[in-house]
C-alpha cells in the first residue's frame, strides 16, 4: 500500500467561538423537559419591550453553549422565531439575535446548520448584512459615529453566522454565490482601517467560501482581486494585519484560476512574499514580549483599580480560554477522507477589547497556522500522475478496483511535483527552511509563560497546532520538492533526528500531532531510503515507536507506523548482520497483520512484510527464523474471508481496490517463497 497522498486542508464545521460542533441529536426526553429554559426564552422574543427581546436573545446565546439544551430550542422552532429579529428595529436586539443564531450554529454542528439554511435563515441574514453595509457609510457626527460602531458590531456577528453556515452547508455557499453576498464580504473586509475585528471575520469567511468554488471563481472580477491585493500589499506591522494579509493570500490562492497566466505568476510571487513574512516572525520571542507588555499594562490597571477600591473577581479572558479548551478537545482529531482540516478557531471577539497584547499573540499564531495551511495546499495535487496509476495496480486479477484512489483512513499515493515556477518561488522566499523552523516550535519560554497565566493558557494548543501544521506541510514538501531544497543529505538527517525526538518527547501526544509527525517521518524515511541516506532510529527506538503508534485509535497513525517499519526494514535488509532486527520487525508486522481489527491496517502490515522480506540473505535468514512462509499461509484464508465478509459494507471502493491488490500480492509472495524454498532445497541436494 506504500503510497502516500499529501494532506489537503479542508474546512470542517468548527466554531470560531471555540464551541463544540458535535451534531445534536434530538430526543423526546430532552425536548419535553419541563425544566428547559427554551419555552420561556422563546416566548420573551415576542415581547413589545426591546430590552426584554435583547435579554432573551442574549440568554439563548449563553444557554445553547450547553449542547444538551439545543434540542429543546429546535423542537420549539427557535430558528424561525429568532430569524425575524435580525431585522428588529433595535440594533441591540439585532446583534444579540445574530449572536444567538451564531452560537446555535456553532454548538449544534453541521446538522443544525443545514436545518437553519432549510428554514431560510439566510434571507433575513442577507438583508441584515446589506443594511449594515449601508450603515457603514453614514455621516461622521458624534451621535452617528456611535450608531456606526453598533452597526459594525451587528455586522461582525452576522458575518460570523454566515461563516458558520457556509462552513457546514454547501447550500449556504450556493446561496452566497447567487445572492451577491460576495460584495457584502468585500465591503466588510474594506473596513479594516476602522474595524479590524469585522475585517478579519469577513476575511475568514471569504477564505472559506472561495475554496473549491468554481461558480464563485467565474463571477469574480478585477475589483475583487483589487481589494484582496490592496490588503496583501499593505505595510502595517501589527499581528492582526499579518493575519488579515495571510487570509487575503488564502483567498487569492483559491481564486487564482480566475486570472491569466501572467497575472497568476505575479500573484504567486505576492503570495509567497506574504507567507514568508508571516512565517519569518519568531513567535517564540514575540509571545513572551507581548506577554510582558500585557502584564505591565495589567499591573498598572490593577494598581489603579486598587486605588479606586475596585477589583475583578475573575481574570478577563478566562471564559475565552475555557471555550478554546473545549473546542480543542473535540475538534483536533482525525478528519474525513484522511485529510487534515483547517480549524476555524477565531475567538478574538471573546477577548477583552483592551487586551491588545493577547489579541496580537492570538493573531500571530492564527496567521502562521493559516500560512502553513496555504503552503500545504500549494504542495498538494488532487489527482495522481499516470505513473502512480500504473504502479497502483499489482495485477489485472484485481476485481474490486474502483475508478478513484483516495483512502479514507490513509493516503495511498504521492502528488504530482510542484510546477517549476512555484518550486522556484517557494525556494526564493526561503519557505522550506521557515517550515522546518516551525516544525521545531513551540518554544519552551513561550510555553512556560502561557502555562502560568490563565488568560494566556488557551494559546498553548494554538502553538501546538502551528507545529502540527508545519509537520503536515513538511510531509507535503518532502513528497513534492527535491532533496537539495531541504538541505541535502545532512539536512534530511537533521530533520529526521528532530522528528524522532518529537516522537519520543514527553510533549502532548494528541491524535492530530501523532498523525502529523508520523506522516512527516514516513515521507522523510522513504526519501532517505531511496537516496541511501543512513537513518536515525535505533532498533530499540523503532520497536518502541511501533508499539506506541500501533496502539493508537487513529487508523492513519497505525498505518504510518507500519509503513515506517517497512521502509526501515527494507533498508536494513540490504545491510549485513541485521537479521536479528529484521526478526523483531517481522514478528511485529505479523502480529498486527493477524490481530488488528481494521483490514486497512492489516493490509499495510502485509505490504510492509513484502517490502522487508522481498530479497537478501539477511531477510531470508530472518524469515526462516520467524516461520514467515507458514505464518502467511496460515493467515491467508482468514484475510480473504474477512475481505469478502466485511469489505463492501465497511470499507470504501478505493480501499477495497488496494486491499484486493494486497490479497493478490499475498498470493504471489507465498508462491514466490515456496518456489524459492524448492529451488534452494534442490540446489543443496545437488
Amino acid at each position: 500500500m506504500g503510497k502516500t497522498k499529501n494532506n489537503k486542508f479542508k474546512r470542517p464545521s468548527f466554531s470560531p467561538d471555540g464551541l463544540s460542533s458535535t451534531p445534536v441529536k434530538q430526543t423526546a426526553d430532552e425536548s419535553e423537559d419541563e425544566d428547559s429554559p427554551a419555552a420561556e426564552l422563546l416566548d420573551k422574543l415576542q415581547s413589545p419591550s426591546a430590552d426584554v427581546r435583547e435579554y432573551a436573545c442574549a440568554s439563548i446565546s449563553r444557554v445553547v453553549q450547553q449542547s444538551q439544551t439545543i434540542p429543546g430550542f429546535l423542537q420549539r422552532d427557535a430558528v424561525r422565531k429568532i430569524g425575524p429579529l435580525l431585522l428588529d428595529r433595535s440594533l441591540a436586539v439585532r446583534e444579540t439575535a445574530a449572536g444567538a443564531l451564531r452560537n446555535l450554529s456553532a454548538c449544534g454542528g453541521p446538522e443544525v446548520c443545514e436545518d437553519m439554511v432549510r428554514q431560510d435563515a439566510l434571507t433575513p441574514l442577507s438583508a441584515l448584512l446589506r443594511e449594515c453595509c449601508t450603515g457603514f457609510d453614514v455621516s461622521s457626527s458624534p451621535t452617528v459615529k456611535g450608531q456606526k460602531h453598533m452597526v459594525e458590531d451587528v455586522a461582525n456577528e452576522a458575518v460570523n453566522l454566515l461563516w458558520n453556515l457556509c462552513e457546514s452547508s454547501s447550500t449556504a455557499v450556493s446561496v452566497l454565490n447567487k445572492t451577491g453576498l460576495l460584495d457584502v464580504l468585500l465591503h466588510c473586509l474594506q473596513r479594516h482601517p476602522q474595524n479590524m475585528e469585522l475585517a478579519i471575520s469577513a476575511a475568514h469567511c471569504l477564505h472559506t467560501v472561495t475554496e473549491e468554488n468554481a461558480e464563485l471563481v467565474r463571477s469574480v472580477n478585477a475589483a475583487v482581486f483589487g481589494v484582496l491585493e490592496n490588503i496583501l500589499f499593505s505595510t502595517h506591522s501589527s499581528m492582526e494585519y499579518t493575519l488579515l494579509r495571510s487570509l487575503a493570500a488564502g483567498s487569492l490562492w483559491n481564486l487564482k484560476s480566475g486570472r491569466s497566466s501572467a497575472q497568476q505568476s505575479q500573484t504567486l510571487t505576492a503570495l509567497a512574499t506574504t507567507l514568508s513574512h508571516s512565517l519569518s516572525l519568531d513567535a517564540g520571542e514575540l509571545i513572551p514580549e507581548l506577554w510582558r507588555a500585557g502584564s505591565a499594562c495589567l499591573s498598572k490597571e490593577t494598581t489603579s483599580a486598587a486605588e479606586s477600591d475596585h477589583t475583578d473577581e475573575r481574570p478577563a479572558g478566562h471564559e475565552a480560554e475555557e471555550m478554546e479548551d473545549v473546542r480543542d478537545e473535540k475538534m483536533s482529531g482525525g478528519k474525513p477522507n484522511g485529510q487534515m482540516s483547517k480549524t476555524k478557531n477565531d475567538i478574538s471577539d471573546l477577548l477583552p477589547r483592551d487586551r491588545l497584547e493577547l489579541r496580537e499573540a492570538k493573531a500571530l499564531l492564527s496567521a502562521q497556522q493559516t500560512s502553513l495551511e496555504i503552503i500545504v495546499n500549494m504542495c498538494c495535487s488532487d489527482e495522481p500522475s499516470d505513473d502512480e496509476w500504473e504502479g497502483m495496480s499489482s495485477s489485472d486479477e484485481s476485481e474490486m478496483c474502483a475508478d478513484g484512489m483516495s483512502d479514507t483512513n490513509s493516503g495511498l499515493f504521492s502528488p504530482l511535483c510542484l510546477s517549476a515556477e512555484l518550486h522556484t518561488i517557494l525556494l526564493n522566499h526561503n519557505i522550506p527552511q521557515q517550515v522546518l523552523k516551525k516544525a521545531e516550535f513551540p518554544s519552551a519560554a513561550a510555553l512556560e509563560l502561557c502555562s502560568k497565566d490563565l488568560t494566556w493558557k488557551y494559546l498553548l494548543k494554538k502553538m501546538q497546532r502551528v507545529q502540527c501544521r508545519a509537520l503536515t506541510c513538511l510531509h507535503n514538501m518532502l513528497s513534492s520538492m527535491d532533496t537539495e531544497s531541504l538541505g541535502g543529505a545532512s539536512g534530511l538527517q537533521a530533520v529526521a533526528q528532530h522528528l524522532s525526538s518529537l516522537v519520543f518527547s514527553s510533549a502532548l501526544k494528541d491524535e492530530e500531532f501523532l498523525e502529523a509527525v508520523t506522516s512527516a517521518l514516513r515521507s522523510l524515511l522513504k526519501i532517505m531510503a531511496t537516496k541511501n541516506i543512513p537513518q536515525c532510529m535505533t532498533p530499540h527506538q523503532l520497536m518502541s515507536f511501533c508499539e506506541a503508534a500501533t496502539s493508537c485509535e487513529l487508523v492513519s497513525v497505525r498505518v504510518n507506523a507500519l509503513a515506517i517499519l517497512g521502509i526501515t526494514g527494507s533498508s536494513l535488509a540490504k545491510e549485513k548482520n541485521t537479521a536479528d532486527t529484521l526478526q523483531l520487525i517481522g514478528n511485529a508486522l505479523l502480529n498486527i497483520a493477524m490481530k488488528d481489527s481494521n483490514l486497512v491496517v492489516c493490509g499495510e502490515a502485509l505490504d510492509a512484510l513484502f517490502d522487508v522480506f522481498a530479497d537478501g540473505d539477511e531477510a531470508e535468514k530472518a524469515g526462516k527464523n520467524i516461520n514467515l512462509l507458514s505464518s502467511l499461509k496460515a493467515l491467508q484464508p482468514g484475510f480473504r474471508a474477512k475481505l469478502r465478509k466485511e469489505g463492501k459494507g465497511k470499507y470504501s471502493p478505493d480501499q477495497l481496490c488496494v486491499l484486493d491488490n494486497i490479497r493478490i500480492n499475498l498470493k504471489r509472495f507465498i508462491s514466490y517463497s515456496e518456489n524459492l524454498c524448492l529451488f534452494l532445497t534442490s540446489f543443496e541436494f545437488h
Side-chain angles (χ1 to χ4, degrees), residues 484-504:
E484 294 305 315
S485 302
L486 299 165
S490 61
L492 292 181
Q493 285 180 316
V495 175
Q497 290 286 353
H498 174 63
L499 294 181
S500 298
S501 69
L502 288 179
V503 169
F504 295 106

Side-chain angles (χ1 to χ4, degrees), residues 271-293:
L271 293 184
T273 300
T274 298
L275 301 178
S276 177
H277 171 72
S278 172
L279 296 180
S280 69
L281 297 171
D282 188 346
E285 290 185 2
L286 289 171
I287 288 177
E289 288 178 7
L290 289 166
W291 180 87
R292 285 189 287 269

Side-chain angles (χ1 to χ4, degrees), residues 27-39 68-69 72 76:
T27 64
D29 291 341
E30 289 174 325
S31 62
E32 298 300 327
D33 186 358
E34 294 298 330
D35 295 329
S36 170
Q68 70 271 18
T69 67
R76 294 173 173 83

Side-chain angles (χ1 to χ4, degrees), residues 276-406:
S276 177
H277 171 72
S278 172
L279 296 180
S280 69
L281 297 171
D282 188 346
E285 290 185 2
L286 289 171
I287 288 177
E289 288 178 7
L290 289 166
W291 180 87
R292 285 189 287 269
S295 297
C297 291
L298 185 61
S299 178
K300 291 179 181 179
E301 293 170 5
T302 303
T303 302
S304 175
E307 291 173 354
S308 61
D309 195 29
H310 172 74
T311 59
D312 292 326
E313 295 181 0
R314 193 179 190 199
H318 187 77
E319 181 183 18
E321 171 240 315
E322 288 182 346
M323 298 174 77
E324 182 84 355
D325 286 343
V326 170
R327 189 214 54 249
D328 286 336
E329 287 174 7
K330 297 188 177 183
M331 301 182 187
S332 61
K335 314 305 186 298
N337 302 320
Q339 295 172 332
M340 297 290 290
S341 300
K342 175 186 180 299
T343 308
K344 180 180 168 189
N345 54 13
D346 180 11
I347 67 155
S348 58
D349 56 305
L350 296 172
L351 304 178
R353 288 184 185 274
D354 59 347
R355 196 59 59 82
L356 175 63
E357 296 81 11
L358 183 54
R359 284 177 170 270
E360 286 282 275
K362 187 262 179 182
L364 168 61
L365 295 174
S366 295
Q368 294 190 336
Q369 177 183 327
T370 299
S371 297
L372 289 165
E373 289 167 356
I374 295 168
I375 298 168
V376 166
N377 290 348
M378 285 180 169
C379 298
C380 179
S381 171
D382 292 326
E383 300 296 336
S385 66
D386 292 339
D387 290 341
E388 287 164 343
W389 278 116
E390 292 169 6
M392 210 51 83
S393 178
S394 304
S395 165
D396 292 336
E397 297 177 46
S398 179
E399 299 171 354
M400 300 162 68
C401 285
D403 292 334
M405 292 295 299
S406 57

Side-chain angles (χ1 to χ4, degrees), residues 19 66 73 291 328 354 374 476 537 578 686:
L19 306 174
Q66 304 298 319
F73 285 95
W291 180 87
D328 286 336
D354 59 347
I374 295 168
N476 281 19
M537 282 194 282
T578 57
H686 289 293

